[in-house]
Amino acid sequence: SSPTPTVTDFDMLGEIINGLRPSFDLIVIDSPSVLTDVFGTALAPLADGTVLVVEAERVRHPVAKQAKTMLES
């Protein structure tokens, strides 16, 4: 298991991303599952948009909807 990120970690990451914005048209942030790791939901507000990827035959609709709700809150 990975170490639990702190508020300071996210503040620092936000500063890094904002510092990179003028130099790039698009910054892609890959994160762990929002259902199993706080890092994914904490990164979402730093992004201009979010792509939620689910495995169609494996992830049930209520679980996918829960992940979407977590990203939107």
Side-chain angles (χ1 to χ4, degrees):
S1 114
S2 59
T4 304
T6 66
V7 172
T8 305
D9 295 332
F10 290 115
D11 288 344
M12 190 180 331
L13 186 55
E15 289 176 21
I16 291 168
I17 291 170
N18 287 331
L20 292 171
R21 285 184 190 277
S23 301
F24 297 94
D25 295 328
L26 180 67
I27 299 171
V28 177
I29 304 169
D30 187 18
S31 73
S33 169
V34 297
L35 296 174
T36 60
D37 194 312
V38 68
F39 203 66
T41 52
L43 284 174
L46 300 176
D48 293 327
T50 303
V51 176
L52 176 62
V53 178
V54 296
E55 197 171 344
E57 296 297 321
R58 189 164 177 214
V59 178
R60 295 177 167 267
H61 185 263
V63 175
K65 194 168 183 170
Q66 179 187 5
K68 179 180 179 279
T69 300
M70 290 174 71
L71 287 169
E72 293 175 333
S73 60

